[in-house]
Every structure is written in C-alpha cells, then in structure tokens.
Amino acid sequence: MRRFAHPWLAFLLLVLAVLAPVAATAQEKIRLGLLPFSESLGAVIAQREGFFKAEGLDVEVTKFESGALAVPVLQSGRIDIAFSNTVSTLQAIEQGLDATVLAPGAVVRSAPPDTTTALIVRKGEVSTLKGLEGKRVAANVINSSAWLHAIAALDAHGVDRTKVRFTEVPFPQMNDPLLNGQLDAVLQVEPFRAALMATGKVEIVSWTYVESAPDTDITQYIALTPWVEKNRATALKFARAVIKGAQFANTNEAATRDINQQFTGLNPALKDTVLLPRFGIAVNVAGTAHTMELMRKYGLLKAPIDVSRRVLAIP
C-alpha cells in the first residue's frame, strides 16, 4: 500500500495547488455598480490601467443610470460597491441604509468652468439670477443634486425661488427647448453643455455648484458597513486602486479623454473639447457635511448625519 501513498499524495498536492489560487481570486471578487458618466472614470481607469489587478481584485462592473437606482441594488446585496451622488447617499443613510464611503468620485472645482451644473440662458434675455423670477427653468429632477445647488445659488443672490418656475427635463433633452423658447433657462451639465454652448446662441449666468459648494465631493463609492467590516482589506484595496485611477485622470488628460469617450459613448467630435471632471483623492468630510446642511436647509434631509463616522479610514 505504501507504494501508492506518494503518487496519491502528489496528486492531492497538485489539486490543492490548482484550487488555491481560484479560492483566493473568488475572495477578492468585487461587484461594482457604476454610472455611465465621466464621474465614474476613477474606477474605469483603475480597471483599464490594471490598478485593480495590481491590488489582487477581480472587479465586475454593472452600469446603472443613476445612484438612486444603484443604491437599492447595493442594499439587496446584489452588488458590493455602488457609485452614488452625495444627495442620494445622505438621503439613503437617513432612510436606514448602513453605508460607508470608501473613496471620492468627482469634486466641484473652486472656480469655473466645471463639469457640474451651469445655469444657461439665451443670449441677451437674462443677465442676472434675479432676472429668473417668473421664468421657466429646467432641472433634470426637482429635489435632485442639481436642483439643490441651483436653489442655494438663487438664495445667495436674493432670488425668491418660489417665483421661479422649475420643470423637469432630462439633461439630453434640455437644449432644444431652450433654443426654441419653450424654456428660459436650463441647468445643464457636460457633455450636453458643450454642445449647447457651441451654438453661440446662449450664455452662462451662474455655475451653481461652484457658487454654493466649491471643493465638495459630488459623488462617491459606497458599500454596506457590514460588508466593509467583514472585508476591510478588500475595501482598502479597492479604495487605493480608485484613488490611483483618480490621480491618473487628473494628470493624464489625453489618455483620460480617450477612455472617457470609449466609456461614455461620447460623440467623437466632442472628445477633445468636453470638460473633464476634477477627481478627489481623499473624501472631503467637511465638504460633504456642507452639502448635508444645504439639504437640511432646503428640505431634502430631516436630521443631521455624522459624516465623519461614515468614511473608511485609509492608512
């Protein structure tokens, strides 16, 4: 019998050697929900440039049209990490989502131009925000992040917001109604803003995010806190890789423009003219707290949230 022990032992060791890497890879697999916009490029670049792979992560990406759609899927456990905007994240936490912020996404610039919302009017028709009283203004969604920062900017300029006639129009469908006079102003973002400005028939009267919340985080990557506690090492690896992707995006414009065009399906004619986001390399707790206070002031949040207790500490 002893003469068979060594061959069987050798076979067993071979099987274990083959299976061990598979098990390790399975433990490091992450299901990530992204939005199909340039704000997601930190993770997209981490995937394409091998930053996830270098951390030993196998990342499976699913696209969602909005953070509001991704968060319920995160809560159900069908994805591990979701890309969301600050307003949706804080509202979900207030409603019971036990979430931790792993890494920042896009950040508002301290001065225009920026990829965040610009309030645009037809040339010569409205010169100040005060002139919007009684006018029709399109927001993608009322009570959204874009709406919130527009309200804050209007308030800062002494505008009676109850006299502004907000209407909901998706970003891709805003431009024509403004140009043909059905709307008086739109809250528009890239890349649609670039196409609208290219007509030469419009002008920007306010960069609403830059006015109301400069240097704040617009978007972030979040995970359920129990998942983070169970998989802290994996969460840290993910955060490090995304931050490397953000640093790449901030310093390699030409390559980032190519990746942006491929990921978002942007019209190739706009590839080199559309503005790219500024990406954060550390979660801005104070900035997120500022957004939270704006949300409370304008009725989007009822109670304060201790943001500092909701951020993954990265050594």
Side-chain angles (χ1 to χ4, degrees), residues 152-169:
L154 292 173
D155 198 14
H157 285 264
V159 180
D160 183 349
R161 63 188 178 92
T162 65
K163 295 181 179 179
V164 178
R165 297 157 55 193
F166 281 101
T167 184
E168 294 186 349
V169 180

PDB file of all heavy atoms in Angstrom, residues 152-169:
ATOM      1  N   ALA A 152     -29.651  76.934  -3.826  1.00  0.00           N
ATOM      2  CA  ALA A 152     -28.705  77.611  -2.938  1.00  0.00           C
ATOM      3  C   ALA A 152     -28.102  78.843  -3.610  1.00  0.00           C
ATOM      4  O   ALA A 152     -27.932  79.888  -2.967  1.00  0.00           O
ATOM      5  CB  ALA A 152     -27.605  76.640  -2.516  1.00  0.00           C
ATOM      6  N   ALA A 153     -27.770  78.734  -4.900  1.00  0.00           N
ATOM      7  CA  ALA A 153     -27.210  79.874  -5.627  1.00  0.00           C
ATOM      8  C   ALA A 153     -28.250  80.992  -5.778  1.00  0.00           C
ATOM      9  O   ALA A 153     -27.936  82.177  -5.606  1.00  0.00           O
ATOM     10  CB  ALA A 153     -26.709  79.429  -6.997  1.00  0.00           C
ATOM     11  N   LEU A 154     -29.491  80.622  -6.090  1.00  0.00           N
ATOM     12  CA  LEU A 154     -30.552  81.625  -6.206  1.00  0.00           C
ATOM     13  C   LEU A 154     -30.751  82.359  -4.887  1.00  0.00           C
ATOM     14  O   LEU A 154     -30.877  83.593  -4.848  1.00  0.00           O
ATOM     15  CB  LEU A 154     -31.863  80.947  -6.628  1.00  0.00           C
ATOM     16  CG  LEU A 154     -31.927  80.371  -8.045  1.00  0.00           C
ATOM     17  CD1 LEU A 154     -33.227  79.597  -8.236  1.00  0.00           C
ATOM     18  CD2 LEU A 154     -31.788  81.446  -9.095  1.00  0.00           C
ATOM     19  N   ASP A 155     -30.760  81.601  -3.804  1.00  0.00           N
ATOM     20  CA  ASP A 155     -30.951  82.175  -2.472  1.00  0.00           C
ATOM     21  C   ASP A 155     -29.836  83.172  -2.154  1.00  0.00           C
ATOM     22  O   ASP A 155     -30.077  84.257  -1.608  1.00  0.00           O
ATOM     23  CB  ASP A 155     -30.983  81.048  -1.443  1.00  0.00           C
ATOM     24  CG  ASP A 155     -31.593  81.485  -0.119  1.00  0.00           C
ATOM     25  OD1 ASP A 155     -32.224  82.548  -0.074  1.00  0.00           O
ATOM     26  OD2 ASP A 155     -31.432  80.754   0.883  1.00  0.00           O
ATOM     27  N   ALA A 156     -28.599  82.797  -2.501  1.00  0.00           N
ATOM     28  CA  ALA A 156     -27.454  83.668  -2.219  1.00  0.00           C
ATOM     29  C   ALA A 156     -27.540  84.992  -2.973  1.00  0.00           C
ATOM     30  O   ALA A 156     -26.961  85.995  -2.544  1.00  0.00           O
ATOM     31  CB  ALA A 156     -26.158  82.950  -2.582  1.00  0.00           C
ATOM     32  N   HIS A 157     -28.281  85.007  -4.080  1.00  0.00           N
ATOM     33  CA  HIS A 157     -28.423  86.226  -4.882  1.00  0.00           C
ATOM     34  C   HIS A 157     -29.752  86.939  -4.616  1.00  0.00           C
ATOM     35  O   HIS A 157     -30.139  87.838  -5.374  1.00  0.00           O
ATOM     36  CB  HIS A 157     -28.301  85.894  -6.367  1.00  0.00           C
ATOM     37  CG  HIS A 157     -26.893  85.616  -6.806  1.00  0.00           C
ATOM     38  ND1 HIS A 157     -26.089  86.567  -7.378  1.00  0.00           N
ATOM     39  CD2 HIS A 157     -26.139  84.483  -6.719  1.00  0.00           C
ATOM     40  CE1 HIS A 157     -24.900  86.039  -7.652  1.00  0.00           C
ATOM     41  NE2 HIS A 157     -24.902  84.776  -7.258  1.00  0.00           N
ATOM     42  N   GLY A 158     -30.430  86.542  -3.549  1.00  0.00           N
ATOM     43  CA  GLY A 158     -31.661  87.223  -3.171  1.00  0.00           C
ATOM     44  C   GLY A 158     -32.850  86.947  -4.066  1.00  0.00           C
ATOM     45  O   GLY A 158     -33.803  87.731  -4.117  1.00  0.00           O
ATOM     46  N   VAL A 159     -32.837  85.814  -4.756  1.00  0.00           N
ATOM     47  CA  VAL A 159     -33.936  85.450  -5.649  1.00  0.00           C
ATOM     48  C   VAL A 159     -35.038  84.753  -4.840  1.00  0.00           C
ATOM     49  O   VAL A 159     -34.752  83.873  -4.023  1.00  0.00           O
ATOM     50  CB  VAL A 159     -33.454  84.524  -6.783  1.00  0.00           C
ATOM     51  CG1 VAL A 159     -34.614  84.146  -7.700  1.00  0.00           C
ATOM     52  CG2 VAL A 159     -32.328  85.191  -7.566  1.00  0.00           C
ATOM     53  N   ASP A 160     -36.265  85.127  -5.071  1.00  0.00           N
ATOM     54  CA  ASP A 160     -37.395  84.438  -4.458  1.00  0.00           C
ATOM     55  C   ASP A 160     -37.652  83.167  -5.265  1.00  0.00           C
ATOM     56  O   ASP A 160     -38.249  83.204  -6.338  1.00  0.00           O
ATOM     57  CB  ASP A 160     -38.629  85.340  -4.466  1.00  0.00           C
ATOM     58  CG  ASP A 160     -39.832  84.707  -3.767  1.00  0.00           C
ATOM     59  OD1 ASP A 160     -39.766  83.489  -3.456  1.00  0.00           O
ATOM     60  OD2 ASP A 160     -40.830  85.417  -3.546  1.00  0.00           O
ATOM     61  N   ARG A 161     -37.178  82.053  -4.750  1.00  0.00           N
ATOM     62  CA  ARG A 161     -37.249  80.808  -5.532  1.00  0.00           C
ATOM     63  C   ARG A 161     -38.677  80.343  -5.772  1.00  0.00           C
ATOM     64  O   ARG A 161     -38.930  79.561  -6.696  1.00  0.00           O
ATOM     65  CB  ARG A 161     -36.430  79.699  -4.876  1.00  0.00           C
ATOM     66  CG  ARG A 161     -36.897  79.258  -3.501  1.00  0.00           C
ATOM     67  CD  ARG A 161     -35.883  78.293  -2.901  1.00  0.00           C
ATOM     68  NE  ARG A 161     -36.218  77.860  -1.561  1.00  0.00           N
ATOM     69  CZ  ARG A 161     -36.913  76.770  -1.277  1.00  0.00           C
ATOM     70  NH1 ARG A 161     -37.363  76.004  -2.269  1.00  0.00           N
ATOM     71  NH2 ARG A 161     -37.162  76.435  -0.030  1.00  0.00           N
ATOM     72  N   THR A 162     -39.608  80.807  -4.957  1.00  0.00           N
ATOM     73  CA  THR A 162     -40.997  80.411  -5.186  1.00  0.00           C
ATOM     74  C   THR A 162     -41.548  81.036  -6.465  1.00  0.00           C
ATOM     75  O   THR A 162     -42.579  80.608  -6.981  1.00  0.00           O
ATOM     76  CB  THR A 162     -41.892  80.831  -4.001  1.00  0.00           C
ATOM     77  OG1 THR A 162     -41.929  82.265  -3.904  1.00  0.00           O
ATOM     78  CG2 THR A 162     -41.363  80.238  -2.699  1.00  0.00           C
ATOM     79  N   LYS A 163     -40.844  82.052  -6.972  1.00  0.00           N
ATOM     80  CA  LYS A 163     -41.283  82.705  -8.213  1.00  0.00           C
ATOM     81  C   LYS A 163     -40.603  82.127  -9.450  1.00  0.00           C
ATOM     82  O   LYS A 163     -40.893  82.553 -10.572  1.00  0.00           O
ATOM     83  CB  LYS A 163     -41.005  84.209  -8.127  1.00  0.00           C
ATOM     84  CG  LYS A 163     -41.807  84.932  -7.050  1.00  0.00           C
ATOM     85  CD  LYS A 163     -41.499  86.414  -7.042  1.00  0.00           C
ATOM     86  CE  LYS A 163     -42.314  87.139  -5.970  1.00  0.00           C
ATOM     87  NZ  LYS A 163     -42.007  88.597  -5.935  1.00  0.00           N
ATOM     88  N   VAL A 164     -39.682  81.182  -9.232  1.00  0.00           N
ATOM     89  CA  VAL A 164     -39.007  80.521 -10.361  1.00  0.00           C
ATOM     90  C   VAL A 164     -39.794  79.263 -10.712  1.00  0.00           C
ATOM     91  O   VAL A 164     -40.068  78.422  -9.851  1.00  0.00           O
ATOM     92  CB  VAL A 164     -37.549  80.166 -10.005  1.00  0.00           C
ATOM     93  CG1 VAL A 164     -36.885  79.439 -11.165  1.00  0.00           C
ATOM     94  CG2 VAL A 164     -36.775  81.431  -9.657  1.00  0.00           C
ATOM     95  N   ARG A 165     -40.134  79.112 -11.968  1.00  0.00           N
ATOM     96  CA  ARG A 165     -40.993  78.004 -12.408  1.00  0.00           C
ATOM     97  C   ARG A 165     -40.128  76.826 -12.868  1.00  0.00           C
ATOM     98  O   ARG A 165     -39.781  76.700 -14.036  1.00  0.00           O
ATOM     99  CB  ARG A 165     -41.914  78.486 -13.526  1.00  0.00           C
ATOM    100  CG  ARG A 165     -42.874  79.592 -13.077  1.00  0.00           C
ATOM    101  CD  ARG A 165     -43.375  80.428 -14.232  1.00  0.00           C
ATOM    102  NE  ARG A 165     -44.005  79.618 -15.275  1.00  0.00           N
ATOM    103  CZ  ARG A 165     -44.299  80.069 -16.489  1.00  0.00           C
ATOM    104  NH1 ARG A 165     -43.992  81.325 -16.813  1.00  0.00           N
ATOM    105  NH2 ARG A 165     -44.863  79.276 -17.369  1.00  0.00           N
ATOM    106  N   PHE A 166     -39.779  75.967 -11.907  1.00  0.00           N
ATOM    107  CA  PHE A 166     -38.950  74.804 -12.233  1.00  0.00           C
ATOM    108  C   PHE A 166     -39.785  73.734 -12.913  1.00  0.00           C
ATOM    109  O   PHE A 166     -40.934  73.477 -12.548  1.00  0.00           O
ATOM    110  CB  PHE A 166     -38.322  74.222 -10.963  1.00  0.00           C
ATOM    111  CG  PHE A 166     -37.129  74.984 -10.468  1.00  0.00           C
ATOM    112  CD1 PHE A 166     -37.241  75.872  -9.407  1.00  0.00           C
ATOM    113  CD2 PHE A 166     -35.888  74.816 -11.077  1.00  0.00           C
ATOM    114  CE1 PHE A 166     -36.145  76.583  -8.960  1.00  0.00           C
ATOM    115  CE2 PHE A 166     -34.787  75.520 -10.635  1.00  0.00           C
ATOM    116  CZ  PHE A 166     -34.917  76.407  -9.570  1.00  0.00           C
ATOM    117  N   THR A 167     -39.173  73.104 -13.914  1.00  0.00           N
ATOM    118  CA  THR A 167     -39.807  71.988 -14.601  1.00  0.00           C
ATOM    119  C   THR A 167     -38.767  70.905 -14.844  1.00  0.00           C
ATOM    120  O   THR A 167     -37.580  71.206 -15.000  1.00  0.00           O
ATOM    121  CB  THR A 167     -40.429  72.441 -15.943  1.00  0.00           C
ATOM    122  OG1 THR A 167     -41.124  71.342 -16.542  1.00  0.00           O
ATOM    123  CG2 THR A 167     -39.354  72.939 -16.909  1.00  0.00           C
ATOM    124  N   GLU A 168     -39.185  69.651 -14.843  1.00  0.00           N
ATOM    125  CA  GLU A 168     -38.255  68.537 -15.012  1.00  0.00           C
ATOM    126  C   GLU A 168     -38.070  68.190 -16.486  1.00  0.00           C
ATOM    127  O   GLU A 168     -39.041  67.918 -17.192  1.00  0.00           O
ATOM    128  CB  GLU A 168     -38.741  67.302 -14.247  1.00  0.00           C
ATOM    129  CG  GLU A 168     -38.741  67.481 -12.736  1.00  0.00           C
ATOM    130  CD  GLU A 168     -39.087  66.202 -11.994  1.00  0.00           C
ATOM    131  OE1 GLU A 168     -39.539  65.228 -12.650  1.00  0.00           O
ATOM    132  OE2 GLU A 168     -38.911  66.158 -10.760  1.00  0.00           O
ATOM    133  N   VAL A 169     -36.809  68.206 -16.922  1.00  0.00           N
ATOM    134  CA  VAL A 169     -36.443  67.804 -18.282  1.00  0.00           C
ATOM    135  C   VAL A 169     -35.111  67.061 -18.197  1.00  0.00           C
ATOM    136  O   VAL A 169     -34.163  67.583 -17.596  1.00  0.00           O
ATOM    137  CB  VAL A 169     -36.282  69.030 -19.224  1.00  0.00           C
ATOM    138  CG1 VAL A 169     -35.912  68.575 -20.633  1.00  0.00           C
ATOM    139  CG2 VAL A 169     -37.552  69.872 -19.239  1.00  0.00           C
TER     140      VAL A 169
END
